[in-house]
Amino acid sequence: TRHTVEKYSHEMAEMLQDKLRQSGSVAASLDRTFPHRLLASGSPEKAAEKNIRDKYQHQSKYRSRLMKAGLIDEGEQVSLPASNISQNDLKVLWFYLSDIDEKLKVFDSLLNKVELFEDIINSRFLYKSFAINKSKGFVLTLDSGENVPLNCLSSGEQHELVLAYELLFKVPEKSFIMIDEPELSLHVTWQHKFLNDIERISKLA
């Protein structure tokens, strides 16, 4: 189980790096065509100031979720003017924000799973926090701030990590799963939460 936890930690890091490469590829493609798209078309009807500010707020919240989940680093975001935005600027901002949507869309299929994974594990582990890191995979930190090696986890903690990871990231969608003795090595409190976790995971499938 210890080997499996470390293996899945590496897999998670590789999965995130692959998503970052995909996002980078989308960004490079969009950046190359940005001037042409901007100059070759008029201002879209949706490029109204309210729509742009709404899109900006939505992206800001989505970025915060991605950063909290460990999928992207904190980056500088272009600020919108506090006063009215000119028509030309509205057009540029609409194309710019639409491109950002495409870059971030790469993470859509992964974000909800990562958030649920972190929530499940953090609801189990006492005196330590669990997080995903795009370079290291699984990161465990004591309340004191000290890092915890994965091989120092108890058998029950390792079991929880492996089971939740496999159900969220390894099982094909719409699969029928049979789990033999899922309560093995689980604390009684964890056993009571198990069915609720299974239900939450199944809703993502």
Side-chain angles (χ1 to χ4, degrees):
T1 306
R2 181 186 307 165
H3 172 74
T4 304
V5 169
E6 293 171 346
K7 173 187 174 184
Y8 286 170
S9 177
H10 290 305
E11 278 189 9
M12 175 61 73
E14 291 175 354
M15 193 185 309
L16 300 188
Q17 291 298 323
D18 182 59
K19 289 295 182 184
L20 288 170
R21 285 191 291 269
Q22 291 180 38
S23 180
S25 178
V26 171
S29 176
L30 291 170
D31 289 347
R32 283 194 300 269
T33 62
F34 184 82
H36 174 75
R37 288 183 287 115
L38 184 64
L39 296 173
S41 62
S43 182
E45 291 184 8
K46 293 183 178 180
E49 183 165 344
K50 182 182 183 306
N51 292 339
I52 286 175
R53 293 192 182 278
D54 288 345
K55 183 186 283 286
Y56 182 87
Q57 290 298 322
H58 174 77
Q59 285 185 4
S60 296
K61 292 178 181 178
Y62 193 70
R63 281 177 181 272
S64 296
R65 289 177 61 196
L66 289 170
M67 287 187 284
K68 184 178 180 182
L71 303 187
I72 64 172
D73 293 326
E74 184 174 356
E76 185 176 350
Q77 190 173 4
V78 175
S79 299
L80 295 183
S83 57
N84 293 337
I85 305 173
S86 70
Q87 193 61 41
N88 286 336
D89 288 345
L90 287 174
K91 178 183 176 181
V92 174
L93 285 169
W94 181 260
F95 277 97
Y96 171 76
L97 293 175
S98 296
D99 284 2
I100 295 294
D101 278 342
E102 293 300 314
K103 298 172 189 178
L104 297 181
K105 191 184 297 182
V106 170
F107 299 99
D108 285 355
S109 62
L110 188 61
L111 178 58
N112 288 335
K113 291 183 179 181
V114 169
E115 288 178 327
L116 180 54
F117 184 45
E118 290 181 335
D119 186 59
I120 288 174
I121 301 305
N122 278 312
S123 70
R124 301 291 189 275
F125 291 4
L126 296 176
Y127 314 117
K128 63 177 77 75
S129 61
F130 173 79
I132 299 296
N133 181 281
K134 61 185 179 63
S135 300
K136 300 177 181 178
F138 304 159
V139 176
L140 290 154
T141 310
L142 293 176
D143 293 344
S144 62
E146 182 181 357
N147 288 336
V148 181
L150 295 177
N151 56 17
C152 290
L153 293 175
S154 68
S155 60
E157 290 172 330
Q158 292 179 37
H159 180 75
E160 281 291 284
L161 263 176
V162 169
L163 183 58
Y165 181 88
E166 290 186 342
L167 290 174
L168 280 165
F169 302 103
K170 305 286 282 186
V171 175
E173 292 186 3
K174 309 302 180 183
S175 297
F176 178 78
I177 308 298
M178 298 183 67
I179 305 175
D180 184 35
E181 297 184 335
E183 77 284 357
L184 201 64
S185 300
L186 296 187
H187 187 278
V188 174
T189 304
W190 294 1
Q191 294 179 26
H192 288 302
K193 295 181 178 179
F194 181 73
L195 289 178
N196 181 56
D197 290 341
I198 292 295
E199 183 178 0
R200 294 170 69 194
I201 290 172
S202 68
K203 289 180 179 179
L204 292 181

